[in-house]
Amino acid sequence: MSDPVFTPRVFSGIQPSGGLTLGNYLGAIKRFVEMQDAGTHETVYCMVDLHAITAKLVPPAELVHNTRELCAGFLASGIDPEKSILINQSQVPEHAQLAWIFNCVARMGWMGRMTQWKDKSGKNAEASSLGLFAYPALMAADILIYHGTHVPVGEDQKQHLELTRDIAAKFNHDYGVEFFPITEPVIEGVATRVMNLQDGTKKMSKSDPSDKTRINMTDDADAIAKKIRKAKTDPDPLPGEIAGLDARPDARNLVNIYAALAEVSPQAVLDQHDGALFGHFKLALADLAVEKLAPISAEMARLMDDPAEIDRILTRGAERAREITVPILERTYDIVGMLRS
Ligand code: AQP
């Protein structure tokens, strides 16, 4: 049997679990825009609000605000709702419907090995929600309900992508079909893991209790400059070679952030700043970050003044998405043996 041919289609999502960070921007959204503009794939981008309530239930108005703000972040960064399908997960019900099937395909042992589950449930797994445990099966459904062939993500999501491939392969094997593609992760660039500004060994995260650890996409120029000035570093000057950043995670992080914002290699940053002290380098980095991020945060603020327009874009996105997801769910139900009216 020849391999089925799948339309090259990119899917990726971000949780509306709080303000967008520079990590989300450099590790995800900036690359989403590049893939959209390359025109080699259809692109589907998603606010995954169903995922955003897995860690804890949040006040409803806050979730609505975060979802709209995330949508504003996508748009302000260059996602074009005409070129890409831009959606909010819960407005396309086939995601959750396919997730149920995948809950029955995935094995408890697979899910229990997920490091994000272990990290987020911590020592209190008994008190964690079932949704947090099942999170990767819903993520697999998010991707496969579009027959997504490529998923741009940060390094932290690699294991979930492997699980997505395992779920697709088991479904195909158990039902003797070649229905779901074996999705390829796309983990590229210098910013696949932007680190915490106060601890270069930890990921920059929107839910970290300390605001000093991250740059938010809504931070103003003063806040960005202050956070970079106060970022943890060491007393040594910048080296001339990448190897000189070994065992210097905080220094490496600032160099990588500079490189990603300037769209040059980390070595090019070192060539330019060889021997500089961090006092000077941080000033240059703050200027660059403000130059790149200020137009995005200004556009986000403008978009947030018109929430009805954001809602209209998401409603239209859901309609376009369902032209893809409804037939794929129907075919899945046929394969599994569920009666349809
Ligand atoms: N620090 C990061 N560096 C590079 N990429 C990152 N991503 C997140 N943080 C970094 C990428 O952003 C996408 C969306 O992530 P998410 O919001 O769905 O969940 P997350 O990875 O758990 O992000 P956060 O900020 O840490 O959220 P919370 O604090 O709510 O858990 C993914 O592609 C991710 O790789």
Side-chain angles (χ1 to χ4, degrees):
M1 195 172 20
S2 63
D3 284 345
V5 177
F6 294 99
T7 303
R9 188 174 287 142
V10 163
F11 175 92
S12 203
I14 298 188
Q15 296 183 72
S17 50
L20 266 179
T21 70
L22 182 67
N24 297 131
Y25 174 67
L26 293 176
I29 299 189
K30 189 166 181 292
R31 294 170 53 243
F32 298 174
V33 175
E34 288 160 7
M35 294 189 95
Q36 164 193 275
D37 292 346
T40 50
H41 297 68
E42 290 181 17
T43 44
V44 184
Y45 297 125
C46 187
M47 281 116 262
V48 287
D49 61 345
L50 296 171
H51 284 279
I53 57 168
T54 52
K56 65 176 185 338
L57 299 175
V58 290
E62 188 179 314
L63 183 57
V64 168
H65 172 85
N66 288 345
T67 305
R68 288 192 181 125
E69 190 176 81
L70 178 54
C71 185
F74 273 101
L75 295 167
S77 304
I79 297 296
D80 176 344
E82 296 303 321
K83 288 191 195 160
S84 294
I85 296 179
L86 186 60
I87 49 160
N88 179 38
Q89 188 184 29
S90 63
Q91 291 174 270
V92 183
E94 293 74 27
H95 288 236
Q97 288 174 280
L98 184 62
W100 181 259
I101 307 279
F102 287 172
N103 283 343
C104 302
V105 173
R107 306 290 92 182
M108 295 282 284
W110 299 359
M111 312 299 269
R113 281 192 284 277
M114 295 294 111
T115 45
Q116 184 169 296
W117 156 251
K118 290 184 202 161
D119 290 347
K120 291 199 171 175
S121 62
K123 294 196 175 73
N124 206 3
E126 291 285 310
S128 296
S129 76
L130 186 55
L132 186 65
F133 190 68
Y135 180 117
L138 176 58
M139 179 168 158
D142 295 334
I143 297 163
L144 294 172
I145 197 64
Y146 297 91
H147 277 181
T149 55
H150 295 84
V151 178
V153 278
E155 189 69 43
D156 57 322
Q157 291 296 332
K158 195 170 169 205
Q159 196 189 28
H160 286 166
L161 256 297
E162 278 157 14
L163 188 102
T164 299
R165 292 161 65 92
D166 289 344
I167 289 176
K170 181 163 162 54
F171 181 98
N172 289 347
H173 174 267
D174 288 359
Y175 287 105
V177 292
E178 291 189 46
F179 183 60
F180 287 116
I182 306 301
T183 307
E184 294 290 337
V186 184
I187 302 173
E188 288 169 356
V190 286
T192 55
R193 201 163 162 79
V194 177
M195 308 310 276
N196 180 311
L197 295 179
Q198 296 298 323
D199 178 353
T201 63
K202 280 165 62 182
K203 188 184 87 150
M204 183 182 287
S205 188
K206 56 177 120 67
S207 59
D208 192 295
S210 166
D211 193 54
K212 287 190 298 190
T213 61
R214 62 177 164 265
I215 292 174
N216 304 301
M217 296 304 287
T218 48
D219 283 345
D220 61 21
D222 282 352
I224 293 173
K226 192 168 167 202
K227 285 177 181 177
I228 291 176
R229 214 169 47 241
K230 297 207 166 215
K232 188 169 162 240
T233 38
D234 55 48
D236 295 338
L238 278 170
E241 300 294 329
I242 295 290
L245 293 171
D246 287 351
R248 296 176 67 188
D250 302 295
R252 175 192 293 274
N253 186 35
L254 296 191
V255 169
N256 282 347
I257 291 174
Y258 192 108
L261 286 170
E263 301 185 348
V264 297
S265 68
Q267 184 58 53
V269 178
L270 295 184
D271 291 344
Q272 199 188 343
H273 295 275
D274 184 8
L277 292 171
F278 270 98
H280 280 98
F281 182 68
K282 283 176 171 179
L283 289 180
L285 177 58
D287 285 349
L288 178 65
V290 170
E291 177 196 322
K292 298 285 179 180
L293 303 181
I296 299 176
S297 69
E299 178 61 3
M300 282 175 75
R302 192 192 68 77
L303 290 161
M304 285 300 280
D305 277 343
D306 188 0
E309 174 61 8
I310 291 180
D311 294 357
R312 195 193 59 74
I313 289 170
L314 291 177
T315 301
R316 173 74 192 120
E319 284 164 7
R320 288 179 64 201
R322 298 194 74 204
E323 288 169 16
I324 302 172
T325 60
V326 169
I328 290 179
L329 186 75
E330 286 179 354
R331 182 77 188 104
T332 308
Y333 275 10
D334 290 343
I335 292 169
V336 174
M338 292 181 162
L339 286 176
R340 291 197 280 120
S341 45

